[in-house]
């Protein structure tokens, strides 16, 4: 354009040269300026559609990742309801089974290593636990320090199968923990205590920021007491869980005897020893 108003006339571009240079920039669109405008508009619309499709794809990928992350933090049904903007009311469950475990001597193990060693230990241990849980109809409620809490029978009810699901899961955890080595301390044998109880409870979402799916009720408290009053590498269960397992069949238990349980007095508890599935595997 600047060449077109040169002061010296002979240095100004002629129309044929201007047309030739325009063709190099915008292509050969004929002599009609309207054709040029339509072509430019069509190209702009095509570019816009491509960019919109690209941004939409990126948005859907981020949405999927967010939903997957939320589904790992909360039960899938609850996460889906929250995603739709629905209010999730607390729900009462007539019969569920709760599992608690913690690491024996965790304070001593933590004191002997660095904070990074503790994080590596818990991450490795709970990653192993999580891999076992995937094989059963159970829900990982939460981890607090070295405490690990699992439930079955909620948020999706499964009849009375919840006792068998938790029992077999607990036996698998006990079997696998014997092969687990403490990071940077391969000579240390890791042991856990486990407690199980069955009964009614209430579950619901607590909080708006970082909401948590929490369980409430005496069933939860007694399950925690079964763990804290238990012994290393043993699974202590209540009479309620033992009765459910007896009705289902396939599990071997033995009576421990009366145990003083805070807030409940003296309860008769049992050790979960093995299952028919484990015995078949050993024979095989």
């Amino acid at each position: 354009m600047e060449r077109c108003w040169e002061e010296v006339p002979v240095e100004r571009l002629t129309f044929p040269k201007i047309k030739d240079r325009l063709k190099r920039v915008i292509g050969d669109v004929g002599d009609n300026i309207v054709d040029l405008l339509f072509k430019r508009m069509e190209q702009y619309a095509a570019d816009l559609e491509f960019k919109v499709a690209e941004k939409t794809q990126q948005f859907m990928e981020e949405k999927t990742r967010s939903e997957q992350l939320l589904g790992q933090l909360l039960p899938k049904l609850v996460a889906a309801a929250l995603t739709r903007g629905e209010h999730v009311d607390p729900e009462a469950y007539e019969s569920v089974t709760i599992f608690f475990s913690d690491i024996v001597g965790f304070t001593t193990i933590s004191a002997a290593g660095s904070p990074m060693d503790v994080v590596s230990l818990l991450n490795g241990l709970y990653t192993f636990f999580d891999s076992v849980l995937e094989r059963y109809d159970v829900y990982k409620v939460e981890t607090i320090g070295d405490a690990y809490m699992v439930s079955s029978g909620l948020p999706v009810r499964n009849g009375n199968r919840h006792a068998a699901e938790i029992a077999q899961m607990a036996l698998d955890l006990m079997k696998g923990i014997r092969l687990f080595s403490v990071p940077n301390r391969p000579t240390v044998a890791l042991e856990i205590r486990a407690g199980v109880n069955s009964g009614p409870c209430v579950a619901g979402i607590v909080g708006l920021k970082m909401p948590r799916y929490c369980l409430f009720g005496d069933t939860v408290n007694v399950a925690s007491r079964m763990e804290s009053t238990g012994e290393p590498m043993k699974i202590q269960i209540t009479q309620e869980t033992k009765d459910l397992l007896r009705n289902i069949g396939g599990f071997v238990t033995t009576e421990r005897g009366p145990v003083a349980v805070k807030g409940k007095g003296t309860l008769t508890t049992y050790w979960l020893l093995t299952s028919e599935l484990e015995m078949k595997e050993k024979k095989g």
Side-chain angles (χ1 to χ4, degrees):
M1 294 294 293
E2 292 178 355
R3 294 286 303 278
C4 291
W5 56 69
E6 287 284 352
E7 292 184 3
V8 181
V10 293
E11 294 184 1
R12 298 172 188 164
L13 294 176
T14 62
F15 280 107
K17 288 185 178 180
I18 294 174
K19 187 176 181 180
D20 182 62
R21 295 201 176 188
L22 285 175
K23 284 182 180 181
R24 296 179 192 175
V25 177
I26 63 176
D28 188 4
V29 295
D31 297 327
N32 194 336
I33 190 63
V34 177
D35 292 340
L36 173 61
L37 292 175
F38 274 119
K39 184 174 182 180
R40 285 296 186 187
M41 292 174 64
E42 288 173 358
Q43 184 63 42
Y44 175 76
D47 292 343
L48 185 61
E49 288 179 2
F50 175 78
K51 290 181 179 180
V52 169
E54 185 179 31
K55 294 297 183 183
T56 301
Q57 179 65 24
Q58 293 176 356
F59 169 76
M60 294 305 297
E61 291 175 356
E62 289 296 331
K63 181 174 181 292
T64 301
R65 279 194 289 268
S66 299
E67 290 176 349
Q68 289 175 346
L69 179 60
L70 187 61
Q72 292 175 344
L73 300 175
L74 298 171
K76 287 183 172 56
L77 293 177
V78 175
L82 292 176
T83 302
R84 294 192 298 268
E86 300 174 3
H87 178 71
V88 180
D89 294 319
E91 188 171 358
Y93 294 85
E94 301 78 15
S95 182
V96 301
T97 297
I98 309 296
F99 167 93
F100 275 94
S101 73
D102 78 347
I103 300 173
V104 178
F106 179 69
T107 303
T108 303
I109 295 174
S110 300
S114 67
M116 289 299 295
D117 290 336
V118 176
V119 173
S120 297
L121 166 62
L122 293 178
N123 182 58
L125 180 64
Y126 292 157
T127 298
F128 159 67
F129 278 15
D130 294 346
S131 67
V132 174
L133 264 60
E134 291 178 356
R135 304 198 292 265
Y136 298 96
D137 182 15
V138 298
Y139 173 70
K140 176 183 174 181
V141 181
E142 63 180 352
T143 58
I144 303 176
D146 64 321
Y148 194 87
M149 180 181 179
V150 184
S151 67
S152 182
L154 62 83
V156 179
R157 293 173 174 81
N158 55 8
N160 287 332
R161 283 196 307 111
H162 50 81
E165 294 289 329
I166 289 290
Q168 191 60 58
M169 178 209 73
L171 291 170
D172 280 359
L173 291 179
M174 285 294 179
K175 182 172 62 176
I177 200 69
R178 291 181 171 88
L179 304 176
F180 186 85
S181 61
V182 179
N184 301 324
R185 301 181 66 190
T187 59
V188 176
L190 199 65
E191 294 181 320
I192 64 172
R193 279 188 303 267
V196 179
N197 183 36
S198 302
C201 81
V202 172
I205 295 294
V206 176
L208 295 177
K209 292 185 178 181
M210 294 183 66
R212 293 173 57 195
Y213 187 71
C214 298
L215 312 185
F216 303 93
D218 195 51
T219 300
V220 181
N221 298 332
V222 174
S224 177
R225 300 302 180 193
M226 288 298 100
E227 175 273 311
S228 60
T229 60
E231 296 180 3
M233 298 306 292
K234 289 186 178 181
I235 306 166
Q236 184 172 217
I237 65 175
T238 60
Q239 182 72 54
E240 290 76 12
T241 302
K242 193 256 186 186
D243 292 342
L244 287 173
L245 294 178
R246 183 185 62 227
N247 294 335
I248 295 170
F251 292 91
V252 179
T253 62
T254 185
E255 182 175 333
R256 180 188 185 185
V259 175
V261 178
K262 184 178 179 180
K264 299 296 293 182
T266 301
L267 299 179
T268 300
T269 66
Y270 301 82
W271 299 122
L272 175 60
L273 301 180
T274 186
S275 67
E276 290 183 358
L277 179 61
E278 277 197 340
M279 290 187 288
K280 289 179 181 178
E281 289 177 352
K282 288 180 181 179
K283 291 180 181 178

mmCIF file of all heavy atoms in Angstrom, residues 181-226:
data_model
loop_
_atom_site.group_PDB
_atom_site.id
_atom_site.type_symbol
_atom_site.label_atom_id
_atom_site.label_comp_id
_atom_site.label_asym_id
_atom_site.label_seq_id
_atom_site.Cartn_x
_atom_site.Cartn_y
_atom_site.Cartn_z
ATOM 1 N N SER A 181 6.854 -54.954 52.872
ATOM 2 C CA SER A 181 8.091 -54.525 53.541
ATOM 3 C C SER A 181 8.064 -53.019 53.761
ATOM 4 O O SER A 181 7.598 -52.256 52.910
ATOM 5 C CB SER A 181 9.315 -54.902 52.709
ATOM 6 O OG SER A 181 9.269 -54.265 51.435
ATOM 7 N N VAL A 182 8.583 -52.595 54.905
ATOM 8 C CA VAL A 182 8.644 -51.180 55.241
ATOM 9 C C VAL A 182 9.734 -50.509 54.411
ATOM 10 O O VAL A 182 10.858 -51.002 54.366
ATOM 11 C CB VAL A 182 8.945 -50.993 56.748
ATOM 12 C CG1 VAL A 182 9.043 -49.514 57.094
ATOM 13 C CG2 VAL A 182 7.862 -51.665 57.585
ATOM 14 N N PRO A 183 9.429 -49.408 53.719
ATOM 15 C CA PRO A 183 10.444 -48.716 52.909
ATOM 16 C C PRO A 183 11.681 -48.350 53.727
ATOM 17 O O PRO A 183 11.571 -47.823 54.837
ATOM 18 C CB PRO A 183 9.701 -47.457 52.428
ATOM 19 C CG PRO A 183 8.253 -47.840 52.447
ATOM 20 C CD PRO A 183 8.106 -48.772 53.610
ATOM 21 N N ASN A 184 12.848 -48.654 53.175
ATOM 22 C CA ASN A 184 14.146 -48.359 53.799
ATOM 23 C C ASN A 184 14.401 -49.162 55.074
ATOM 24 O O ASN A 184 15.425 -48.954 55.734
ATOM 25 C CB ASN A 184 14.273 -46.855 54.110
ATOM 26 C CG ASN A 184 14.141 -45.997 52.866
ATOM 27 O OD1 ASN A 184 14.600 -46.375 51.788
ATOM 28 N ND2 ASN A 184 13.498 -44.859 53.014
ATOM 29 N N ARG A 185 13.496 -50.054 55.440
ATOM 30 C CA ARG A 185 13.693 -50.895 56.627
ATOM 31 C C ARG A 185 13.175 -52.302 56.323
ATOM 32 O O ARG A 185 12.170 -52.749 56.885
ATOM 33 C CB ARG A 185 12.975 -50.297 57.840
ATOM 34 C CG ARG A 185 13.442 -48.895 58.195
ATOM 35 C CD ARG A 185 12.715 -48.360 59.397
ATOM 36 N NE ARG A 185 13.037 -49.112 60.592
ATOM 37 C CZ ARG A 185 12.377 -48.971 61.756
ATOM 38 N NH1 ARG A 185 11.377 -48.121 61.840
ATOM 39 N NH2 ARG A 185 12.723 -49.681 62.811
ATOM 40 N N PRO A 186 13.796 -53.003 55.406
ATOM 41 C CA PRO A 186 13.294 -54.299 54.952
ATOM 42 C C PRO A 186 13.257 -55.367 56.035
ATOM 43 O O PRO A 186 12.551 -56.374 55.890
ATOM 44 C CB PRO A 186 14.270 -54.685 53.829
ATOM 45 C CG PRO A 186 15.513 -53.910 54.130
ATOM 46 C CD PRO A 186 15.057 -52.621 54.742
ATOM 47 N N THR A 187 13.982 -55.176 57.127
ATOM 48 C CA THR A 187 14.008 -56.194 58.188
ATOM 49 C C THR A 187 12.827 -56.051 59.158
ATOM 50 O O THR A 187 12.596 -56.936 59.986
ATOM 51 C CB THR A 187 15.320 -56.104 58.979
ATOM 52 O OG1 THR A 187 15.444 -54.796 59.557
ATOM 53 C CG2 THR A 187 16.506 -56.375 58.064
ATOM 54 N N VAL A 188 12.103 -54.929 59.072
ATOM 55 C CA VAL A 188 10.977 -54.685 59.984
ATOM 56 C C VAL A 188 9.725 -55.357 59.433
ATOM 57 O O VAL A 188 9.328 -55.121 58.287
ATOM 58 C CB VAL A 188 10.731 -53.175 60.169
ATOM 59 C CG1 VAL A 188 9.496 -52.937 61.043
ATOM 60 C CG2 VAL A 188 11.951 -52.509 60.780
ATOM 61 N N ALA A 189 9.100 -56.192 60.244
ATOM 62 C CA ALA A 189 7.856 -56.865 59.846
ATOM 63 C C ALA A 189 6.674 -55.992 60.254
ATOM 64 O O ALA A 189 6.517 -55.651 61.430
ATOM 65 C CB ALA A 189 7.768 -58.231 60.500
ATOM 66 N N LEU A 190 5.850 -55.632 59.298
ATOM 67 C CA LEU A 190 4.697 -54.775 59.569
ATOM 68 C C LEU A 190 3.514 -55.633 60.015
ATOM 69 O O LEU A 190 3.217 -56.665 59.414
ATOM 70 C CB LEU A 190 4.331 -53.983 58.315
ATOM 71 C CG LEU A 190 3.460 -52.739 58.519
ATOM 72 C CD1 LEU A 190 4.214 -51.698 59.332
ATOM 73 C CD2 LEU A 190 3.042 -52.159 57.186
ATOM 74 N N GLU A 191 2.829 -55.193 61.067
ATOM 75 C CA GLU A 191 1.655 -55.891 61.570
ATOM 76 C C GLU A 191 0.494 -54.902 61.715
ATOM 77 O O GLU A 191 0.706 -53.714 61.975
ATOM 78 C CB GLU A 191 1.936 -56.539 62.927
ATOM 79 C CG GLU A 191 2.961 -57.656 62.882
ATOM 80 C CD GLU A 191 3.176 -58.279 64.253
ATOM 81 O OE1 GLU A 191 3.200 -57.528 65.258
ATOM 82 O OE2 GLU A 191 3.323 -59.509 64.316
ATOM 83 N N ILE A 192 -0.721 -55.423 61.561
ATOM 84 C CA ILE A 192 -1.902 -54.582 61.737
ATOM 85 C C ILE A 192 -2.880 -55.282 62.675
ATOM 86 O O ILE A 192 -2.828 -56.503 62.860
ATOM 87 C CB ILE A 192 -2.608 -54.269 60.400
ATOM 88 C CG1 ILE A 192 -3.147 -55.548 59.747
ATOM 89 C CG2 ILE A 192 -1.698 -53.512 59.453
ATOM 90 C CD1 ILE A 192 -4.028 -55.290 58.532
ATOM 91 N N ARG A 193 -3.760 -54.486 63.272
ATOM 92 C CA ARG A 193 -4.913 -54.997 64.008
ATOM 93 C C ARG A 193 -6.146 -54.699 63.190
ATOM 94 O O ARG A 193 -6.216 -53.663 62.524
ATOM 95 C CB ARG A 193 -5.039 -54.306 65.372
ATOM 96 C CG ARG A 193 -4.157 -54.836 66.466
ATOM 97 C CD ARG A 193 -4.532 -54.199 67.809
ATOM 98 N NE ARG A 193 -4.447 -52.755 67.707
ATOM 99 C CZ ARG A 193 -3.358 -52.046 68.031
ATOM 100 N NH1 ARG A 193 -2.280 -52.666 68.474
ATOM 101 N NH2 ARG A 193 -3.348 -50.734 67.908
ATOM 102 N N ALA A 194 -7.146 -55.573 63.250
ATOM 103 C CA ALA A 194 -8.365 -55.356 62.476
ATOM 104 C C ALA A 194 -9.585 -55.676 63.330
ATOM 105 O O ALA A 194 -9.566 -56.606 64.143
ATOM 106 C CB ALA A 194 -8.369 -56.207 61.214
ATOM 107 N N GLY A 195 -10.630 -54.896 63.162
ATOM 108 C CA GLY A 195 -11.882 -55.107 63.868
ATOM 109 C C GLY A 195 -13.066 -54.945 62.927
ATOM 110 O O GLY A 195 -13.032 -54.107 62.024
ATOM 111 N N VAL A 196 -14.107 -55.761 63.123
ATOM 112 C CA VAL A 196 -15.277 -55.751 62.240
ATOM 113 C C VAL A 196 -16.543 -55.807 63.088
ATOM 114 O O VAL A 196 -16.608 -56.528 64.093
ATOM 115 C CB VAL A 196 -15.248 -56.951 61.264
ATOM 116 C CG1 VAL A 196 -16.484 -56.947 60.367
ATOM 117 C CG2 VAL A 196 -13.977 -56.933 60.423
ATOM 118 N N ASN A 197 -17.552 -55.055 62.667
ATOM 119 C CA ASN A 197 -18.863 -55.085 63.320
ATOM 120 C C ASN A 197 -19.950 -54.868 62.281
ATOM 121 O O ASN A 197 -19.716 -54.231 61.256
ATOM 122 C CB ASN A 197 -18.952 -54.010 64.405
ATOM 123 C CG ASN A 197 -20.278 -54.060 65.163
ATOM 124 O OD1 ASN A 197 -20.813 -55.146 65.395
ATOM 125 N ND2 ASN A 197 -20.799 -52.907 65.552
ATOM 126 N N SER A 198 -21.123 -55.408 62.548
ATOM 127 C CA SER A 198 -22.263 -55.273 61.633
ATOM 128 C C SER A 198 -23.456 -54.704 62.383
ATOM 129 O O SER A 198 -23.625 -54.944 63.583
ATOM 130 C CB SER A 198 -22.638 -56.635 61.031
ATOM 131 O OG SER A 198 -21.551 -57.199 60.339
ATOM 132 N N GLY A 199 -24.276 -53.947 61.660
ATOM 133 C CA GLY A 199 -25.467 -53.363 62.254
ATOM 134 C C GLY A 199 -25.939 -52.150 61.477
ATOM 135 O O GLY A 199 -25.436 -51.862 60.386
ATOM 136 N N PRO A 200 -26.881 -51.406 62.040
ATOM 137 C CA PRO A 200 -27.416 -50.225 61.342
ATOM 138 C C PRO A 200 -26.504 -49.022 61.495
ATOM 139 O O PRO A 200 -25.718 -48.929 62.439
ATOM 140 C CB PRO A 200 -28.757 -49.989 62.062
ATOM 141 C CG PRO A 200 -28.517 -50.500 63.454
ATOM 142 C CD PRO A 200 -27.601 -51.684 63.303
ATOM 143 N N CYS A 201 -26.608 -48.099 60.554
ATOM 144 C CA CYS A 201 -25.871 -46.837 60.666
ATOM 145 C C CYS A 201 -26.501 -45.802 59.749
ATOM 146 O O CYS A 201 -27.378 -46.121 58.946
ATOM 147 C CB CYS A 201 -24.386 -47.017 60.354
ATOM 148 S SG CYS A 201 -23.991 -47.042 58.600
ATOM 149 N N VAL A 202 -26.054 -44.575 59.904
ATOM 150 C CA VAL A 202 -26.513 -43.465 59.059
ATOM 151 C C VAL A 202 -25.309 -42.912 58.317
ATOM 152 O O VAL A 202 -24.228 -42.765 58.905
ATOM 153 C CB VAL A 202 -27.179 -42.358 59.898
ATOM 154 C CG1 VAL A 202 -27.485 -41.133 59.041
ATOM 155 C CG2 VAL A 202 -28.457 -42.879 60.549
ATOM 156 N N ALA A 203 -25.491 -42.615 57.038
ATOM 157 C CA ALA A 203 -24.401 -42.082 56.215
ATOM 158 C C ALA A 203 -24.865 -40.819 55.512
ATOM 159 O O ALA A 203 -26.036 -40.709 55.113
ATOM 160 C CB ALA A 203 -23.944 -43.115 55.190
ATOM 161 N N GLY A 204 -23.963 -39.858 55.380
ATOM 162 C CA GLY A 204 -24.326 -38.628 54.697
ATOM 163 C C GLY A 204 -23.118 -37.754 54.425
ATOM 164 O O GLY A 204 -22.015 -38.011 54.917
ATOM 165 N N ILE A 205 -23.345 -36.710 53.635
ATOM 166 C CA ILE A 205 -22.306 -35.752 53.281
ATOM 167 C C ILE A 205 -22.198 -34.696 54.375
ATOM 168 O O ILE A 205 -23.199 -34.144 54.826
ATOM 169 C CB ILE A 205 -22.613 -35.071 51.941
ATOM 170 C CG1 ILE A 205 -22.570 -36.091 50.802
ATOM 171 C CG2 ILE A 205 -21.623 -33.950 51.654
ATOM 172 C CD1 ILE A 205 -21.202 -36.667 50.555
ATOM 173 N N VAL A 206 -20.970 -34.423 54.795
ATOM 174 C CA VAL A 206 -20.716 -33.416 55.824
ATOM 175 C C VAL A 206 -19.793 -32.348 55.242
ATOM 176 O O VAL A 206 -18.708 -32.669 54.750
ATOM 177 C CB VAL A 206 -20.071 -34.055 57.074
ATOM 178 C CG1 VAL A 206 -19.720 -32.974 58.090
ATOM 179 C CG2 VAL A 206 -20.998 -35.082 57.690
ATOM 180 N N GLY A 207 -20.230 -31.096 55.293
ATOM 181 C CA GLY A 207 -19.400 -29.986 54.840
ATOM 182 C C GLY A 207 -19.683 -29.590 53.402
ATOM 183 O O GLY A 207 -20.228 -30.367 52.604
ATOM 184 N N LEU A 208 -19.309 -28.350 53.078
ATOM 185 C CA LEU A 208 -19.449 -27.834 51.717
ATOM 186 C C LEU A 208 -18.098 -27.788 51.011
ATOM 187 O O LEU A 208 -17.974 -28.201 49.869
ATOM 188 C CB LEU A 208 -20.065 -26.425 51.757
ATOM 189 C CG LEU A 208 -21.510 -26.346 52.279
ATOM 190 C CD1 LEU A 208 -21.964 -24.896 52.346
ATOM 191 C CD2 LEU A 208 -22.450 -27.146 51.391
ATOM 192 N N LYS A 209 -17.074 -27.269 51.706
ATOM 193 C CA LYS A 209 -15.720 -27.288 51.159
ATOM 194 C C LYS A 209 -15.066 -28.598 51.570
ATOM 195 O O LYS A 209 -15.072 -28.970 52.731
ATOM 196 C CB LYS A 209 -14.917 -26.104 51.678
ATOM 197 C CG LYS A 209 -15.416 -24.762 51.155
ATOM 198 C CD LYS A 209 -14.521 -23.634 51.607
ATOM 199 C CE LYS A 209 -14.986 -22.302 51.036
ATOM 200 N NZ LYS A 209 -14.104 -21.190 51.462
ATOM 201 N N MET A 210 -14.521 -29.292 50.598
ATOM 202 C CA MET A 210 -13.946 -30.625 50.814
ATOM 203 C C MET A 210 -14.960 -31.521 51.533
ATOM 204 O O MET A 210 -14.696 -32.027 52.634
ATOM 205 C CB MET A 210 -12.641 -30.544 51.614
ATOM 206 C CG MET A 210 -11.526 -29.844 50.892
ATOM 207 S SD MET A 210 -9.979 -29.834 51.828
ATOM 208 C CE MET A 210 -9.616 -31.597 51.841
ATOM 209 N N PRO A 211 -16.151 -31.713 50.953
ATOM 210 C CA PRO A 211 -17.176 -32.529 51.616
ATOM 211 C C PRO A 211 -16.707 -33.963 51.832
ATOM 212 O O PRO A 211 -15.947 -34.511 51.038
ATOM 213 C CB PRO A 211 -18.345 -32.476 50.620
ATOM 214 C CG PRO A 211 -17.713 -32.194 49.294
ATOM 215 C CD PRO A 211 -16.550 -31.308 49.601
ATOM 216 N N ARG A 212 -17.170 -34.562 52.921
ATOM 217 C CA ARG A 212 -16.786 -35.932 53.252
ATOM 218 C C ARG A 212 -18.041 -36.776 53.434
ATOM 219 O O ARG A 212 -19.055 -36.304 53.952
ATOM 220 C CB ARG A 212 -15.946 -35.962 54.530
ATOM 221 C CG ARG A 212 -14.599 -35.306 54.389
ATOM 222 C CD ARG A 212 -13.902 -35.219 55.736
ATOM 223 N NE ARG A 212 -13.759 -36.534 56.350
ATOM 224 C CZ ARG A 212 -13.462 -36.720 57.631
ATOM 225 N NH1 ARG A 212 -13.299 -35.676 58.429
ATOM 226 N NH2 ARG A 212 -13.336 -37.938 58.117
ATOM 227 N N TYR A 213 -17.934 -38.014 53.019
ATOM 228 C CA TYR A 213 -19.015 -38.978 53.207
ATOM 229 C C TYR A 213 -18.726 -39.707 54.514
ATOM 230 O O TYR A 213 -17.789 -40.495 54.604
ATOM 231 C CB TYR A 213 -19.053 -39.951 52.027
ATOM 232 C CG TYR A 213 -20.233 -40.890 52.027
ATOM 233 C CD1 TYR A 213 -21.522 -40.430 51.751
ATOM 234 C CD2 TYR A 213 -20.062 -42.247 52.284
ATOM 235 C CE1 TYR A 213 -22.594 -41.286 51.731
ATOM 236 C CE2 TYR A 213 -21.138 -43.112 52.269
ATOM 237 C CZ TYR A 213 -22.409 -42.631 51.990
ATOM 238 O OH TYR A 213 -23.483 -43.489 51.973
ATOM 239 N N CYS A 214 -19.511 -39.423 55.547
ATOM 240 C CA CYS A 214 -19.236 -39.922 56.885
ATOM 241 C C CYS A 214 -20.309 -40.896 57.346
ATOM 242 O O CYS A 214 -21.479 -40.801 56.944
ATOM 243 C CB CYS A 214 -19.145 -38.763 57.872
ATOM 244 S SG CYS A 214 -17.808 -37.608 57.525
ATOM 245 N N LEU A 215 -19.905 -41.832 58.209
ATOM 246 C CA LEU A 215 -20.812 -42.814 58.796
ATOM 247 C C LEU A 215 -20.969 -42.525 60.276
ATOM 248 O O LEU A 215 -19.999 -42.179 60.962
ATOM 249 C CB LEU A 215 -20.274 -44.236 58.596
ATOM 250 C CG LEU A 215 -19.810 -44.623 57.190
ATOM 251 C CD1 LEU A 215 -19.430 -46.097 57.156
ATOM 252 C CD2 LEU A 215 -20.862 -44.317 56.149
ATOM 253 N N PHE A 216 -22.185 -42.673 60.771
ATOM 254 C CA PHE A 216 -22.475 -42.393 62.166
ATOM 255 C C PHE A 216 -23.312 -43.520 62.764
ATOM 256 O O PHE A 216 -24.100 -44.162 62.066
ATOM 257 C CB PHE A 216 -23.250 -41.062 62.302
ATOM 258 C CG PHE A 216 -22.537 -39.881 61.716
ATOM 259 C CD1 PHE A 216 -22.783 -39.493 60.398
ATOM 260 C CD2 PHE A 216 -21.624 -39.164 62.455
ATOM 261 C CE1 PHE A 216 -22.137 -38.402 59.857
ATOM 262 C CE2 PHE A 216 -20.961 -38.074 61.919
ATOM 263 C CZ PHE A 216 -21.216 -37.694 60.616
ATOM 264 N N GLY A 217 -23.115 -43.736 64.048
ATOM 265 C CA GLY A 217 -23.921 -44.721 64.746
ATOM 266 C C GLY A 217 -23.085 -45.626 65.633
ATOM 267 O O GLY A 217 -21.848 -45.661 65.540
ATOM 268 N N ASP A 218 -23.781 -46.355 66.486
ATOM 269 C CA ASP A 218 -23.105 -47.240 67.431
ATOM 270 C C ASP A 218 -22.334 -48.344 66.713
ATOM 271 O O ASP A 218 -21.313 -48.817 67.201
ATOM 272 C CB ASP A 218 -24.150 -47.849 68.379
ATOM 273 C CG ASP A 218 -23.515 -48.477 69.604
ATOM 274 O OD1 ASP A 218 -22.702 -47.811 70.267
ATOM 275 O OD2 ASP A 218 -23.816 -49.655 69.891
ATOM 276 N N THR A 219 -22.825 -48.763 65.549
ATOM 277 C CA THR A 219 -22.139 -49.807 64.784
ATOM 278 C C THR A 219 -20.718 -49.396 64.441
ATOM 279 O O THR A 219 -19.781 -50.198 64.523
ATOM 280 C CB THR A 219 -22.922 -50.116 63.489
ATOM 281 O OG1 THR A 219 -24.233 -50.573 63.832
ATOM 282 C CG2 THR A 219 -22.222 -51.172 62.656
ATOM 283 N N VAL A 220 -20.546 -48.132 64.054
ATOM 284 C CA VAL A 220 -19.220 -47.618 63.710
ATOM 285 C C VAL A 220 -18.324 -47.584 64.947
ATOM 286 O O VAL A 220 -17.155 -47.990 64.897
ATOM 287 C CB VAL A 220 -19.332 -46.209 63.088
ATOM 288 C CG1 VAL A 220 -17.956 -45.673 62.714
ATOM 289 C CG2 VAL A 220 -20.246 -46.238 61.872
ATOM 290 N N ASN A 221 -18.865 -47.112 66.062
ATOM 291 C CA ASN A 221 -18.076 -47.013 67.288
ATOM 292 C C ASN A 221 -17.600 -48.390 67.758
ATOM 293 O O ASN A 221 -16.434 -48.557 68.147
ATOM 294 C CB ASN A 221 -18.903 -46.352 68.391
ATOM 295 C CG ASN A 221 -19.303 -44.932 68.034
ATOM 296 O OD1 ASN A 221 -18.603 -44.258 67.284
ATOM 297 N ND2 ASN A 221 -20.426 -44.477 68.557
ATOM 298 N N VAL A 222 -18.494 -49.377 67.718
ATOM 299 C CA VAL A 222 -18.119 -50.720 68.174
ATOM 300 C C VAL A 222 -17.088 -51.334 67.236
ATOM 301 O O VAL A 222 -16.151 -52.016 67.677
ATOM 302 C CB VAL A 222 -19.361 -51.617 68.293
ATOM 303 C CG1 VAL A 222 -18.963 -53.058 68.627
ATOM 304 C CG2 VAL A 222 -20.310 -51.084 69.364
ATOM 305 N N ALA A 223 -17.214 -51.098 65.928
ATOM 306 C CA ALA A 223 -16.223 -51.613 64.979
ATOM 307 C C ALA A 223 -14.848 -51.047 65.300
ATOM 308 O O ALA A 223 -13.834 -51.761 65.254
ATOM 309 C CB ALA A 223 -16.620 -51.257 63.549
ATOM 310 N N SER A 224 -14.794 -49.757 65.646
ATOM 311 C CA SER A 224 -13.525 -49.144 66.026
ATOM 312 C C SER A 224 -12.976 -49.778 67.302
ATOM 313 O O SER A 224 -11.767 -50.011 67.420
ATOM 314 C CB SER A 224 -13.726 -47.639 66.229
ATOM 315 O OG SER A 224 -12.531 -47.033 66.659
ATOM 316 N N ARG A 225 -13.859 -50.098 68.266
ATOM 317 C CA ARG A 225 -13.419 -50.749 69.504
ATOM 318 C C ARG A 225 -12.920 -52.166 69.240
ATOM 319 O O ARG A 225 -12.012 -52.646 69.927
ATOM 320 C CB ARG A 225 -14.575 -50.795 70.511
ATOM 321 C CG ARG A 225 -15.124 -49.450 70.913
ATOM 322 C CD ARG A 225 -14.093 -48.557 71.516
ATOM 323 N NE ARG A 225 -14.662 -47.256 71.883
ATOM 324 C CZ ARG A 225 -13.957 -46.189 72.204
ATOM 325 N NH1 ARG A 225 -12.633 -46.258 72.179
ATOM 326 N NH2 ARG A 225 -14.541 -45.052 72.527
ATOM 327 N N MET A 226 -13.494 -52.824 68.250
ATOM 328 C CA MET A 226 -13.024 -54.173 67.910
ATOM 329 C C MET A 226 -11.572 -54.114 67.439
ATOM 330 O O MET A 226 -10.773 -55.004 67.734
ATOM 331 C CB MET A 226 -13.905 -54.788 66.820
ATOM 332 C CG MET A 226 -15.306 -55.203 67.265
ATOM 333 S SD MET A 226 -15.295 -56.485 68.536
ATOM 334 C CE MET A 226 -15.557 -55.484 70.019
#
